[in-house]
Amino acid sequence: MAGASFAYEQGQQGRRVLLLERDLSQPDRIVGELLQPGGYMALKSLGLEHCVDDIDSQKVYGYCMFKNGEEAKVGYPLQGMGDDVAGRSFHHGRFVQRLRQAAACCSSLTVRQGIVKRLVNDRGEDWEEGQVVTGVKYKSASDGKDRTALAHLTIVCDGMYSSFRSKLGKGDIKHPSYFVGLLLKDVKLPHPNYGHVVLASPSPVLFYPISSNEVRCLVDYPGEKLPPMTSGALHEYLVEKIAPQVPDILRDAFCKAVNEGRIRTMQNKQLTSTPLHQPGALLLGDSFNMRHPLTGGGMTVALSDTLLLCKMLQPLSNFNSSVETCDATSAFYVKRKPLSATVNTLANALYMVFCSTGSTAQEEMRQACFDYLKLGGVYSAGPVSLLSGGY
Protein backbone atom coordinates (compact mmCIF):
# COMPACT_ATOMS: atom_id res chain seq x y z
CA MET A 1 0.00 0.00 0.00
CA ALA A 2 2.79 2.43 0.90
CA GLY A 3 4.86 1.41 -2.12
CA ALA A 4 2.07 1.95 -4.63
CA SER A 5 1.18 5.32 -3.09
CA PHE A 6 4.79 6.51 -3.10
CA ALA A 7 5.33 5.28 -6.66
CA TYR A 8 2.19 7.09 -7.86
CA GLU A 9 3.23 10.43 -6.38
CA GLN A 10 6.73 10.15 -7.82
CA GLY A 11 5.26 9.22 -11.19
CA GLN A 12 3.03 12.30 -11.01
CA GLN A 13 6.23 14.33 -10.55
CA GLY A 14 7.49 12.88 -13.84
CA ARG A 15 10.17 10.71 -12.22
CA ARG A 16 11.00 7.33 -13.73
CA VAL A 17 9.79 4.69 -11.31
CA LEU A 18 9.86 0.90 -11.23
CA LEU A 19 7.23 -0.56 -8.88
CA LEU A 20 8.07 -4.16 -8.02
CA GLU A 21 5.29 -6.22 -6.46
CA ARG A 22 5.73 -9.75 -5.16
CA ASP A 23 2.21 -10.64 -6.28
CA LEU A 24 -0.09 -8.49 -8.41
CA SER A 25 -3.21 -10.53 -7.68
CA GLN A 26 -5.70 -9.00 -5.26
CA PRO A 27 -4.54 -9.43 -1.64
CA ASP A 28 -6.85 -11.17 0.81
CA ARG A 29 -6.12 -10.06 4.37
CA ILE A 30 -8.07 -9.54 7.59
CA VAL A 31 -6.22 -6.34 8.55
CA GLY A 32 -5.63 -3.07 6.73
CA GLU A 33 -9.37 -2.58 6.36
CA LEU A 34 -9.86 0.66 8.32
CA LEU A 35 -8.42 3.99 7.25
CA GLN A 36 -8.63 6.75 9.85
CA PRO A 37 -9.70 10.30 8.84
CA GLY A 38 -6.08 11.47 9.10
CA GLY A 39 -5.09 8.71 6.71
CA TYR A 40 -7.83 9.71 4.28
CA MET A 41 -6.57 13.29 4.33
CA ALA A 42 -3.02 12.08 3.59
CA LEU A 43 -4.45 9.98 0.75
CA LYS A 44 -6.24 13.07 -0.51
CA SER A 45 -3.04 15.14 -0.37
CA LEU A 46 -1.35 12.46 -2.47
CA GLY A 47 -4.12 12.77 -5.07
CA LEU A 48 -5.37 9.25 -4.40
CA GLU A 49 -8.70 9.83 -2.67
CA HIS A 50 -10.50 8.29 -5.66
CA CYS A 51 -9.02 4.93 -4.64
CA VAL A 52 -11.66 4.51 -1.94
CA ASP A 53 -14.40 4.95 -4.55
CA ASP A 54 -16.08 2.12 -6.46
CA ILE A 55 -14.98 -0.57 -3.97
CA ASP A 56 -18.13 -0.42 -1.79
CA SER A 57 -16.15 1.33 0.96
CA GLN A 58 -18.03 2.60 4.00
CA LYS A 59 -17.63 5.92 5.78
CA VAL A 60 -16.75 5.63 9.46
CA TYR A 61 -17.59 8.46 11.85
CA GLY A 62 -16.25 7.16 15.15
CA TYR A 63 -16.42 4.31 17.65
CA CYS A 64 -18.91 2.79 20.02
CA MET A 65 -17.54 0.89 23.00
CA PHE A 66 -19.44 -1.78 24.92
CA LYS A 67 -18.74 -2.87 28.50
CA ASN A 68 -20.99 -4.88 30.80
CA GLY A 69 -24.17 -3.77 29.03
CA GLU A 70 -23.14 -0.10 28.85
CA GLU A 71 -22.32 1.85 25.69
CA ALA A 72 -19.98 4.78 25.05
CA LYS A 73 -20.32 6.35 21.61
CA VAL A 74 -17.60 8.75 20.52
CA GLY A 75 -17.43 10.46 17.16
CA TYR A 76 -14.54 11.93 15.23
CA PRO A 77 -14.54 15.75 15.56
CA LEU A 78 -15.06 16.37 11.84
CA GLN A 79 -16.91 19.68 11.93
CA GLY A 80 -15.83 21.97 9.10
CA MET A 81 -13.65 19.31 7.48
CA GLY A 82 -15.77 18.74 4.38
CA ASP A 83 -18.42 16.13 3.58
CA ASP A 84 -15.91 13.67 2.21
CA VAL A 85 -13.66 13.63 5.30
CA ALA A 86 -14.30 10.60 7.49
CA GLY A 87 -12.76 7.26 8.20
CA ARG A 88 -13.10 4.63 5.49
CA SER A 89 -13.48 0.87 5.84
CA PHE A 90 -13.24 -1.59 2.95
CA HIS A 91 -11.86 -4.85 1.67
CA HIS A 92 -8.10 -4.35 1.92
CA GLY A 93 -7.39 -6.06 -1.38
CA ARG A 94 -9.80 -3.88 -3.34
CA PHE A 95 -8.12 -0.76 -2.00
CA VAL A 96 -4.62 -2.02 -2.84
CA GLN A 97 -5.70 -2.87 -6.39
CA ARG A 98 -7.07 0.64 -6.87
CA LEU A 99 -3.75 2.10 -5.72
CA ARG A 100 -1.85 -0.14 -8.13
CA GLN A 101 -4.15 0.82 -10.98
CA ALA A 102 -3.59 4.50 -10.26
CA ALA A 103 0.18 3.98 -10.25
CA ALA A 104 0.09 2.00 -13.48
CA CYS A 105 -1.59 4.94 -15.25
CA CYS A 106 1.49 7.15 -14.77
CA SER A 107 3.39 7.29 -18.06
CA SER A 108 6.82 7.32 -16.42
CA LEU A 109 6.05 4.40 -14.12
CA THR A 110 6.51 0.67 -14.81
CA VAL A 111 4.80 -2.02 -12.73
CA ARG A 112 6.30 -5.50 -12.65
CA GLN A 113 5.69 -8.65 -10.66
CA GLY A 114 8.78 -10.18 -9.16
CA ILE A 115 10.43 -11.31 -5.94
CA VAL A 116 13.19 -8.99 -4.76
CA LYS A 117 16.10 -11.08 -3.53
CA ARG A 118 18.81 -8.62 -2.55
CA LEU A 119 20.07 -5.05 -2.69
CA VAL A 120 22.91 -4.21 -5.08
CA ASN A 121 25.80 -1.71 -5.11
CA ASP A 122 27.01 0.57 -7.90
CA ARG A 123 28.70 -2.39 -9.63
CA GLY A 124 25.49 -4.40 -9.68
CA GLU A 125 26.94 -6.77 -7.10
CA ASP A 126 25.44 -7.80 -3.77
CA TRP A 127 25.31 -4.77 -1.51
CA GLU A 128 27.30 -4.71 1.72
CA GLU A 129 26.95 -2.34 4.64
CA GLY A 130 28.76 0.93 4.04
CA GLN A 131 28.19 0.89 0.29
CA VAL A 132 25.64 2.98 -1.61
CA VAL A 133 22.46 1.07 -2.46
CA THR A 134 21.91 1.45 -6.20
CA GLY A 135 19.09 -0.99 -6.90
CA VAL A 136 17.93 -4.56 -6.44
CA LYS A 137 18.14 -8.02 -7.90
CA TYR A 138 14.79 -9.72 -8.40
CA LYS A 139 13.28 -12.83 -9.93
CA SER A 140 10.87 -11.86 -12.68
CA ALA A 141 7.45 -13.53 -12.55
CA SER A 142 7.06 -13.23 -16.32
CA ASP A 143 9.95 -15.53 -17.30
CA GLY A 144 11.46 -16.72 -14.00
CA LYS A 145 14.79 -15.07 -14.77
CA ASP A 146 16.90 -13.13 -12.31
CA ARG A 147 17.17 -9.46 -13.23
CA THR A 148 18.91 -6.37 -11.88
CA ALA A 149 17.13 -3.04 -11.60
CA LEU A 150 19.35 -0.01 -10.96
CA ALA A 151 18.05 3.18 -9.39
CA HIS A 152 19.38 6.25 -7.62
CA LEU A 153 16.87 5.71 -4.81
CA THR A 154 15.39 2.44 -3.54
CA ILE A 155 12.35 2.55 -1.26
CA VAL A 156 11.95 -0.66 0.71
CA CYS A 157 8.37 -1.23 1.84
CA ASP A 158 7.95 -5.00 1.92
CA GLY A 159 5.57 -5.08 4.85
CA MET A 160 5.39 -6.71 8.25
CA TYR A 161 7.41 -9.75 7.14
CA SER A 162 10.19 -7.60 5.63
CA SER A 163 13.26 -9.43 4.31
CA PHE A 164 15.36 -6.26 4.28
CA ARG A 165 14.51 -4.65 7.63
CA SER A 166 17.71 -5.84 9.30
CA LYS A 167 19.87 -4.36 6.52
CA LEU A 168 18.44 -0.86 6.79
CA GLY A 169 17.49 -0.62 10.45
CA LYS A 170 17.64 -2.16 13.88
CA GLY A 171 14.22 -3.26 15.06
CA ASP A 172 12.64 -4.52 18.25
CA ILE A 173 9.63 -6.71 17.41
CA LYS A 174 7.04 -7.77 19.97
CA HIS A 175 4.15 -10.20 19.46
CA PRO A 176 1.44 -9.20 21.94
CA SER A 177 -1.48 -11.15 20.48
CA TYR A 178 -3.29 -12.61 17.48
CA PHE A 179 -6.36 -11.43 15.64
CA VAL A 180 -8.92 -14.13 14.90
CA GLY A 181 -10.92 -12.88 11.93
CA LEU A 182 -14.53 -13.64 11.03
CA LEU A 183 -16.78 -12.26 8.29
CA LEU A 184 -20.39 -11.56 9.22
CA LYS A 185 -22.81 -11.15 6.32
CA ASP A 186 -26.16 -9.36 6.07
CA VAL A 187 -26.09 -8.15 9.65
CA LYS A 188 -26.82 -4.66 10.96
CA LEU A 189 -24.45 -3.06 13.42
CA PRO A 190 -26.01 -1.37 16.47
CA HIS A 191 -24.57 1.94 15.21
CA PRO A 192 -24.18 2.07 11.40
CA ASN A 193 -20.97 3.65 10.08
CA TYR A 194 -19.22 3.26 13.43
CA GLY A 195 -16.51 0.92 14.58
CA HIS A 196 -17.55 -1.21 17.55
CA VAL A 197 -15.18 -2.17 20.37
CA VAL A 198 -16.34 -4.73 22.90
CA LEU A 199 -14.26 -4.55 26.08
CA ALA A 200 -14.44 -8.28 26.59
CA SER A 201 -12.39 -10.55 28.78
CA PRO A 202 -9.53 -11.25 28.31
CA SER A 203 -9.11 -8.71 25.48
CA PRO A 204 -11.12 -6.58 23.01
CA VAL A 205 -13.36 -7.71 20.16
CA LEU A 206 -13.83 -5.43 17.13
CA PHE A 207 -16.68 -5.10 14.64
CA TYR A 208 -16.72 -2.72 11.67
CA PRO A 209 -18.29 -2.66 8.19
CA ILE A 210 -16.10 -3.48 5.19
CA SER A 211 -18.85 -3.32 2.57
CA SER A 212 -22.55 -2.54 2.37
CA ASN A 213 -23.47 -6.07 3.52
CA GLU A 214 -20.37 -7.38 5.34
CA VAL A 215 -18.99 -6.79 8.82
CA ARG A 216 -15.49 -7.73 9.87
CA CYS A 217 -15.07 -9.15 13.35
CA LEU A 218 -11.61 -9.36 14.91
CA VAL A 219 -11.24 -11.20 18.19
CA ASP A 220 -8.00 -10.38 19.97
CA TYR A 221 -6.33 -13.50 21.39
CA PRO A 222 -3.50 -12.45 23.75
CA GLY A 223 -0.16 -14.22 23.81
CA GLU A 224 2.39 -15.51 21.34
CA LYS A 225 0.72 -18.86 20.61
CA LEU A 226 -2.67 -19.92 19.27
CA PRO A 227 -4.22 -23.32 19.91
CA PRO A 228 -3.96 -25.56 16.81
CA MET A 229 -6.90 -25.05 14.45
CA THR A 230 -7.37 -28.81 14.19
CA SER A 231 -7.80 -29.24 17.94
CA GLY A 232 -11.14 -27.46 18.10
CA ALA A 233 -9.93 -25.42 21.06
CA LEU A 234 -10.12 -22.10 19.19
CA HIS A 235 -13.69 -22.83 18.03
CA GLU A 236 -14.63 -23.69 21.61
CA TYR A 237 -12.99 -20.50 22.88
CA LEU A 238 -14.96 -18.34 20.45
CA VAL A 239 -18.32 -19.98 21.16
CA GLU A 240 -18.08 -20.50 24.91
CA LYS A 241 -15.82 -17.65 26.05
CA ILE A 242 -16.34 -14.80 23.57
CA ALA A 243 -19.88 -15.21 22.17
CA PRO A 244 -21.63 -14.56 25.53
CA GLN A 245 -19.82 -11.20 25.72
CA VAL A 246 -20.85 -10.08 22.21
CA PRO A 247 -23.80 -7.60 22.09
CA ASP A 248 -27.14 -9.41 21.74
CA ILE A 249 -27.87 -7.96 18.30
CA LEU A 250 -24.65 -9.47 16.90
CA ARG A 251 -24.41 -12.74 18.83
CA ASP A 252 -26.33 -14.99 16.42
CA ALA A 253 -24.39 -13.69 13.41
CA PHE A 254 -21.15 -14.13 15.34
CA CYS A 255 -21.91 -17.76 16.21
CA LYS A 256 -23.02 -18.47 12.64
CA ALA A 257 -19.74 -17.09 11.30
CA VAL A 258 -17.79 -19.23 13.76
CA ASN A 259 -19.71 -22.40 12.89
CA GLU A 260 -20.04 -21.93 9.14
CA GLY A 261 -17.48 -19.35 8.12
CA ARG A 262 -13.78 -19.31 7.52
CA ILE A 263 -11.86 -18.63 10.71
CA ARG A 264 -8.64 -16.80 9.87
CA THR A 265 -5.79 -15.71 12.10
CA MET A 266 -2.96 -13.22 11.96
CA GLN A 267 -0.24 -12.46 14.47
CA ASN A 268 -0.15 -8.87 15.69
CA LYS A 269 3.22 -7.17 15.84
CA GLN A 270 4.69 -4.08 17.45
CA LEU A 271 7.89 -2.76 15.92
CA THR A 272 10.11 0.17 16.78
CA SER A 273 13.16 0.64 14.57
CA THR A 274 16.34 2.66 14.55
CA PRO A 275 17.30 3.53 10.95
CA LEU A 276 20.87 2.89 9.81
CA HIS A 277 20.73 5.66 7.17
CA GLN A 278 22.25 3.61 4.37
CA PRO A 279 22.76 5.95 1.37
CA GLY A 280 20.49 5.20 -1.57
CA ALA A 281 17.73 3.40 0.36
CA LEU A 282 14.94 4.07 2.85
CA LEU A 283 12.51 1.92 4.82
CA LEU A 284 8.82 2.83 4.60
CA GLY A 285 5.58 1.39 6.00
CA ASP A 286 5.27 -1.73 8.14
CA SER A 287 8.80 -2.80 7.26
CA PHE A 288 9.95 0.07 9.48
CA ASN A 289 7.25 0.67 12.10
CA MET A 290 4.21 -1.16 13.50
CA ARG A 291 1.88 -0.69 16.43
CA HIS A 292 -0.90 -2.86 17.86
CA PRO A 293 -3.67 -2.80 15.21
CA LEU A 294 -6.48 -2.39 17.76
CA THR A 295 -7.06 1.22 16.70
CA GLY A 296 -6.50 0.74 12.95
CA GLY A 297 -3.62 3.23 12.76
CA GLY A 298 -1.28 1.33 10.44
CA MET A 299 -2.39 2.67 7.08
CA THR A 300 -2.73 6.18 8.47
CA VAL A 301 0.89 6.19 9.67
CA ALA A 302 2.11 4.65 6.40
CA LEU A 303 0.29 7.18 4.22
CA SER A 304 1.37 10.10 6.41
CA ASP A 305 4.98 8.88 6.19
CA THR A 306 4.64 8.54 2.42
CA LEU A 307 3.29 12.07 2.08
CA LEU A 308 6.06 13.48 4.27
CA LEU A 309 8.80 11.67 2.34
CA CYS A 310 7.39 12.88 -0.99
CA LYS A 311 7.40 16.48 0.26
CA MET A 312 11.03 16.16 1.39
CA LEU A 313 12.09 14.80 -1.99
CA GLN A 314 10.10 17.27 -4.08
CA PRO A 315 12.75 20.06 -4.16
CA LEU A 316 15.30 17.71 -5.75
CA SER A 317 15.37 17.79 -9.55
CA ASN A 318 16.76 14.24 -9.52
CA PHE A 319 18.31 11.68 -7.19
CA ASN A 320 21.63 11.33 -9.05
CA SER A 321 23.64 12.44 -6.04
CA SER A 322 23.28 9.98 -3.17
CA VAL A 323 24.78 12.59 -0.84
CA GLU A 324 22.21 15.27 -1.72
CA THR A 325 19.35 12.77 -1.57
CA CYS A 326 20.56 11.48 1.79
CA ASP A 327 20.83 15.05 3.09
CA ALA A 328 17.31 15.85 1.87
CA THR A 329 15.84 12.84 3.65
CA SER A 330 18.10 12.66 6.72
CA ALA A 331 15.45 14.27 8.91
CA PHE A 332 12.62 12.01 7.68
CA TYR A 333 12.72 9.64 10.64
CA VAL A 334 12.65 12.61 13.04
CA LYS A 335 9.95 14.64 11.30
CA ARG A 336 7.61 11.65 11.13
CA LYS A 337 7.62 11.19 14.89
CA PRO A 338 5.01 13.75 16.04
CA LEU A 339 2.27 11.86 14.21
CA SER A 340 3.60 8.31 14.24
CA ALA A 341 4.67 8.33 17.88
CA THR A 342 1.27 9.69 18.93
CA VAL A 343 -0.70 7.04 17.03
CA ASN A 344 1.70 4.29 18.13
CA THR A 345 1.69 5.25 21.80
CA LEU A 346 -2.08 5.56 22.00
CA ALA A 347 -2.66 2.28 20.16
CA ASN A 348 -0.26 0.30 22.34
CA ALA A 349 -1.43 1.98 25.56
CA LEU A 350 -5.12 1.50 24.81
CA TYR A 351 -4.54 -2.16 24.07
CA MET A 352 -2.94 -2.65 27.47
CA VAL A 353 -5.71 -0.70 29.20
CA PHE A 354 -8.52 -2.49 27.36
CA CYS A 355 -7.21 -5.97 28.20
CA SER A 356 -8.54 -7.64 31.33
CA THR A 357 -5.79 -9.17 33.45
CA GLY A 358 -8.00 -10.03 36.40
CA SER A 359 -6.38 -7.54 38.74
CA THR A 360 -8.51 -4.98 40.57
CA ALA A 361 -6.23 -2.09 39.57
CA GLN A 362 -6.38 -3.07 35.88
CA GLU A 363 -10.17 -3.30 35.93
CA GLU A 364 -10.45 0.08 37.64
CA MET A 365 -8.23 1.59 34.95
CA ARG A 366 -10.31 0.01 32.19
CA GLN A 367 -13.54 1.25 33.73
CA ALA A 368 -12.10 4.74 34.23
CA CYS A 369 -11.05 4.96 30.59
CA PHE A 370 -14.49 3.79 29.47
CA ASP A 371 -16.28 6.27 31.76
CA TYR A 372 -14.06 9.15 30.65
CA LEU A 373 -14.63 8.57 26.94
CA LYS A 374 -18.33 8.07 27.60
CA LEU A 375 -18.51 11.71 28.70
CA GLY A 376 -18.10 12.68 25.05
CA GLY A 377 -17.69 16.27 23.91
CA VAL A 378 -14.33 17.86 24.71
CA TYR A 379 -13.39 14.84 26.84
CA SER A 380 -13.37 12.38 23.94
CA ALA A 381 -12.60 14.82 21.08
CA GLY A 382 -8.93 15.26 21.93
CA PRO A 383 -7.97 11.60 22.36
CA VAL A 384 -10.04 10.46 19.37
CA SER A 385 -8.60 13.18 17.14
CA LEU A 386 -5.05 12.17 18.08
CA LEU A 387 -5.86 8.50 17.62
CA SER A 388 -7.28 9.08 14.16
CA GLY A 389 -4.23 10.74 12.70
CA GLY A 390 -3.98 14.21 14.23
CA TYR A 391 -5.90 15.97 11.46
Side-chain angles (χ1 to χ4, degrees):
M1 186 272 299
S5 302
F6 180 84
Y8 170 84
E9 201 280 342
Q10 294 301 300
Q12 290 295 103
Q13 296 294 322
R15 303 191 195 275
R16 292 178 59 205
V17 183
L18 173 63
L19 175 60
L20 286 170
E21 293 277 16
R22 174 182 289 271
D23 187 351
L24 284 170
S25 61
Q26 182 167 303
D28 183 15
R29 301 179 66 193
I30 62 171
V31 292
E33 297 174 320
L34 176 64
L35 181 65
Q36 297 283 3
Y40 173 78
M41 293 184 70
L43 192 74
K44 191 172 182 178
S45 296
L46 289 163
L48 288 165
E49 69 272 24
H50 61 281
C51 291
V52 298
D53 298 333
D54 303 320
I55 59 172
D56 199 15
S57 67
Q58 304 297 299
K59 287 186 176 181
V60 178
Y61 295 109
Y63 296 94
C64 186
M65 295 181 295
F66 298 80
K67 186 177 186 296
N68 299 331
E70 293 185 85
E71 296 183 14
K73 186 177 180 182
V74 294
Y76 299 128
L78 299 173
Q79 295 79 7
M81 303 296 293
D83 293 340
D84 64 318
V85 178
R88 292 292 197 285
S89 53
F90 38 64
H91 281 269
H92 174 79
R94 296 175 186 174
F95 178 55
V96 169
Q97 291 299 80
R98 290 281 282 157
L99 292 173
R100 290 172 174 171
Q101 291 164 8
C105 289
C106 298
S107 58
S108 62
L109 193 152
T110 301
V111 181
R112 290 181 187 160
Q113 181 171 310
I115 298 175
V116 178
K117 293 184 171 182
R118 56 186 70 90
L119 305 174
V120 299
N121 59 23
D122 56 0
R123 298 186 298 276
E125 300 170 347
D126 289 1
W127 173 84
E128 296 179 0
E129 189 171 348
Q131 298 176 334
V132 177
V133 178
T134 56
V136 298
K137 286 185 179 179
Y138 69 99
K139 184 177 182 179
S140 173
S142 61
D143 57 15
K145 294 182 178 180
D146 288 344
R147 301 182 182 278
T148 300
L150 300 179
H152 294 296
L153 180 61
T154 300
I155 304 298
V156 177
C157 37
D158 54 342
M160 65 190 302
Y161 302 109
S162 174
S163 301
F164 300 97
R165 179 182 296 131
S166 62
K167 297 183 182 300
L168 301 176
K170 294 181 179 180
D172 177 24
I173 299 181
K174 297 179 181 178
H175 306 95
S177 65
Y178 283 81
F179 267 159
V180 180
L182 303 168
L183 190 62
L184 283 58
K185 296 188 177 182
D186 300 316
V187 61
K188 291 185 178 180
L189 289 166
H191 301 276
N193 299 104
Y194 274 72
H196 294 60
V197 184
V198 181
L199 300 187
S201 174
S203 55
V205 180
L206 309 179
F207 295 90
Y208 51 90
I210 59 171
S211 74
S212 54
N213 68 336
E214 294 169 305
V215 169
R216 171 67 71 202
C217 172
L218 294 175
V219 179
D220 185 82
Y221 189 98
E224 294 192 19
K225 287 187 178 181
L226 274 174
M229 294 290 288
T230 55
S231 71
L234 184 58
H235 181 280
E236 181 180 330
Y237 175 83
L238 294 172
V239 172
E240 297 187 8
K241 176 71 173 178
I242 301 301
Q245 302 181 74
V246 171
D248 293 346
I249 193 173
L250 297 171
R251 190 171 301 139
D252 288 345
F254 177 88
C255 291
K256 182 179 180 181
V258 172
N259 292 323
E260 300 179 1
R262 177 185 175 198
I263 299 176
R264 304 175 61 189
T265 63
M266 189 166 191
Q267 190 172 39
N268 296 325
K269 299 175 184 286
Q270 295 171 209
L271 168 67
T272 54
S273 295
T274 301
L276 297 178
H277 295 288
Q278 306 290 5
L282 285 166
L283 282 170
L284 187 65
D286 282 356
S287 58
F288 176 69
N289 179 216
M290 290 179 279
R291 74 294 310 145
H292 195 284
L294 172 69
T295 58
M299 289 193 295
T300 294
V301 171
L303 286 169
S304 297
D305 282 356
T306 299
L307 178 62
L308 172 62
L309 183 57
C310 289
K311 288 180 177 179
M312 297 178 76
L313 291 171
Q314 193 168 13
L316 299 179
S317 59
N318 58 61
F319 305 145
N320 295 356
S321 170
S322 61
V323 174
E324 290 182 8
T325 305
C326 196
D327 287 344
T329 59
S330 61
F332 168 69
Y333 295 110
V334 175
K335 289 187 175 181
R336 66 180 291 277
K337 283 218 166 180
L339 186 140
S340 64
T342 300
V343 174
N344 294 348
T345 302
L346 283 171
N348 295 335
L350 279 177
Y351 176 70
M352 289 191 293
V353 170
F354 284 171
C355 285
S356 175
T357 63
S359 75
T360 301
Q362 171 71 14
E363 182 54 36
E364 288 177 349
M365 177 68 76
R366 194 160 74 138
Q367 185 66 48
C369 183
F370 178 86
D371 291 341
Y372 183 82
L373 292 173
K374 188 178 179 180
L375 293 173
V378 296
Y379 301 99
S380 65
V384 173
S385 178
L386 291 172
L387 191 72
S388 57
Y391 51 88

